[in-house]
Coordinates of all heavy atoms in Angstrom, one line a residue:
T71 N 21.2 29.0 99.0 CA 19.6 29.1 98.9 C 19.1 30.4 99.0 O 18.3 30.9 98.2 CB 18.9 28.1 99.8 OG1 19.5 26.8 99.6 CG2 17.5 28.1 99.6
V72 N 19.6 31.2 100.0 CA 19.3 32.6 100.2 C 19.5 33.4 98.9 O 18.7 34.2 98.5 CB 19.9 33.2 101.5 CG1 19.7 34.7 101.5 CG2 19.4 32.5 102.7
S73 N 20.7 33.2 98.4 CA 21.1 34.1 97.2 C 20.1 33.7 96.1 O 19.8 34.5 95.4 CB 22.5 33.7 96.8 OG 23.4 34.3 97.7
K74 N 19.9 32.4 95.8 CA 18.9 32.1 94.8 C 17.5 32.7 95.0 O 16.9 33.1 94.0 CB 18.8 30.5 94.6 CG 20.1 29.9 94.0 CD 20.0 28.3 94.1 CE 21.3 27.7 93.7 NZ 21.4 26.4 94.0
K75 N 17.1 32.7 96.2 CA 15.8 33.2 96.5 C 15.7 34.7 96.3 O 14.7 35.2 95.8 CB 15.4 32.8 98.0 CG 15.0 31.3 98.2 CD 14.5 31.0 99.6 CE 13.2 31.6 99.9 NZ 12.8 31.0 101.3
L76 N 16.8 35.4 96.6 CA 16.9 36.8 96.3 C 16.9 37.1 94.8 O 16.3 38.0 94.3 CB 18.3 37.5 96.9 CG 18.3 37.7 98.3 CD1 19.7 37.9 98.8 CD2 17.4 38.9 98.7
E77 N 17.7 36.3 94.0 CA 17.8 36.6 92.6 C 16.4 36.3 91.9 O 16.2 36.9 90.8 CB 18.9 35.6 92.0 CG 20.3 35.9 92.4 CD 21.3 34.9 92.1 OE1 20.9 33.9 91.4 OE2 22.4 34.9 92.6
S78 N 15.7 35.4 92.5 CA 14.4 35.1 91.8 C 13.2 35.8 92.5 O 12.1 35.5 92.3 CB 14.1 33.5 91.8 OG 14.2 33.1 93.1
H79 N 13.6 36.8 93.4 CA 12.6 37.7 94.0 C 11.5 36.9 94.8 O 10.3 37.2 94.8 CB 11.8 38.6 92.9 CG 12.8 39.4 92.1 ND1 13.2 40.6 92.6 CD2 13.5 39.2 90.9 CE1 14.1 41.1 91.8 NE2 14.2 40.3 90.7
Q80 N 12.0 35.9 95.5 CA 11.1 35.1 96.3 C 10.8 35.7 97.8 O 10.0 35.2 98.5 CB 11.6 33.6 96.5 CG 11.6 32.9 95.2 CD 12.1 31.5 95.4 OE1 11.7 30.8 96.4 NE2 12.9 31.0 94.5
Y81 N 11.5 36.7 98.1 CA 11.3 37.4 99.4 C 10.4 38.6 99.2 O 10.7 39.4 98.5 CB 12.7 37.8 100.1 CG 13.5 36.6 100.5 CD1 14.7 36.5 99.9 CD2 13.0 35.8 101.5 CE1 15.6 35.4 100.2 CE2 13.9 34.7 101.9 CZ 15.1 34.6 101.3 OH 16.0 33.6 101.6
A82 N 9.3 38.6 99.9 CA 8.4 39.7 99.8 C 8.8 41.0 100.6 O 8.6 42.0 100.3 CB 7.0 39.2 100.2
T83 N 9.6 40.7 101.7 CA 10.0 41.7 102.6 C 11.5 41.4 103.1 O 11.9 40.4 103.0 CB 9.2 41.7 103.9 OG1 9.3 40.5 104.7 CG2 7.6 41.8 103.6
V84 N 12.0 42.4 103.6 CA 13.4 42.4 104.2 C 13.3 41.3 105.4 O 14.3 40.6 105.5 CB 13.9 43.8 104.6 CG1 15.1 43.6 105.4 CG2 14.1 44.6 103.4
N85 N 12.3 41.5 106.1 CA 12.2 40.6 107.3 C 12.1 39.1 106.9 O 12.6 38.3 107.7 CB 11.0 41.0 108.2 CG 11.3 42.2 109.0 OD1 12.4 42.5 109.2 ND2 10.2 42.9 109.4
E86 N 11.6 38.7 105.8 CA 11.5 37.4 105.3 C 12.9 37.0 105.0 O 13.3 35.8 105.4 CB 10.7 37.2 104.1 CG 9.3 37.1 104.3 CD 8.5 36.9 103.0 OE1 9.0 36.5 102.0 OE2 7.2 37.2 103.0
W87 N 13.8 37.9 104.4 CA 15.1 37.5 104.1 C 15.9 37.4 105.3 O 16.7 36.4 105.5 CB 15.7 38.6 103.2 CG 17.2 38.7 103.0 CD1 18.0 37.8 102.3 CD2 18.0 39.6 103.7 NE1 19.3 38.1 102.5 CE2 19.4 39.2 103.4 CE3 17.9 40.7 104.6 CZ2 20.5 40.0 103.9 CZ3 19.0 41.4 105.0 CH2 20.3 41.1 104.6
K88 N 15.8 38.4 106.3 CA 16.5 38.2 107.6 C 16.2 36.9 108.3 O 16.9 36.3 108.9 CB 16.1 39.4 108.5 CG 16.8 40.7 108.1 CD 16.4 41.7 109.0 CE 17.1 43.1 108.9 NZ 16.8 44.1 109.9
S89 N 14.9 36.5 108.2 CA 14.5 35.3 108.9 C 15.1 34.1 108.4 O 15.6 33.2 109.1 CB 12.9 35.2 108.8 OG 12.4 34.0 109.4
D90 N 15.2 34.0 107.1 CA 16.0 32.9 106.4 C 17.4 32.9 106.9 O 18.0 31.9 107.1 CB 15.9 32.9 104.8 CG 14.7 32.1 104.5 OD1 14.0 31.4 105.3 OD2 14.6 31.9 103.2
V91 N 18.1 34.0 106.8 CA 19.5 34.2 107.2 C 19.7 33.7 108.6 O 20.6 32.9 108.9 CB 20.1 35.5 106.8 CG1 21.6 35.6 107.3 CG2 20.1 35.8 105.3
N92 N 18.9 34.3 109.5 CA 19.0 33.8 110.9 C 18.7 32.4 111.2 O 19.2 31.9 112.0 CB 18.0 34.8 111.8 CG 18.6 36.2 112.0 OD1 19.9 36.4 112.1 ND2 17.8 37.2 111.8
L93 N 17.9 31.8 110.2 CA 17.6 30.4 110.4 C 18.8 29.5 110.1 O 19.0 28.5 110.8 CB 16.5 30.0 109.3 CG 16.1 28.5 109.3 CD1 15.5 28.1 110.7 CD2 15.0 28.3 108.2
I94 N 19.7 30.0 109.3 CA 21.0 29.4 109.1 C 21.8 29.2 110.4 O 22.2 28.1 110.7 CB 21.9 30.1 108.0 CG1 21.2 30.1 106.7 CG2 23.3 29.4 107.9 CD1 21.8 31.1 105.7
W95 N 21.9 30.3 111.1 CA 22.7 30.3 112.3 C 21.9 29.5 113.4 O 22.6 28.8 114.1 CB 22.9 31.7 112.9 CG 23.2 32.8 111.8 CD1 22.6 33.9 111.7 CD2 24.1 32.7 110.6 NE1 23.0 34.7 110.5 CE2 24.0 33.8 109.9 CE3 24.9 31.7 110.2 CZ2 24.7 34.1 108.8 CZ3 25.6 31.9 109.0 CH2 25.5 33.1 108.4
K96 N 20.7 29.7 113.4 CA 19.9 28.9 114.5 C 19.9 27.4 114.2 O 20.3 26.6 115.2 CB 18.4 29.4 114.4 CG 17.5 28.6 115.4 CD 16.0 29.0 115.2 CE 15.2 28.2 116.2 NZ 13.9 27.8 115.7
N97 N 19.9 27.0 112.9 CA 19.9 25.6 112.6 C 21.4 25.0 113.1 O 21.5 24.0 113.6 CB 19.9 25.3 111.2 CG 18.4 25.4 110.7 OD1 17.4 25.5 111.5 ND2 18.1 25.5 109.4

Side-chain angles (χ1 to χ4, degrees):
T71 300
V72 169
S73 288
K74 288 176 189 166
K75 288 178 77 171
L76 282 166
E77 290 166 12
S78 59
H79 302 276
Q80 291 184 42
Y81 293 114
T83 66
V84 170
N85 284 338
E86 283 182 17
W87 164 74
K88 283 182 177 183
S89 183
D90 266 1
V91 176
N92 283 321
L93 181 61
I94 298 168
W95 324 133
K96 180 182 179 221
N97 287 348

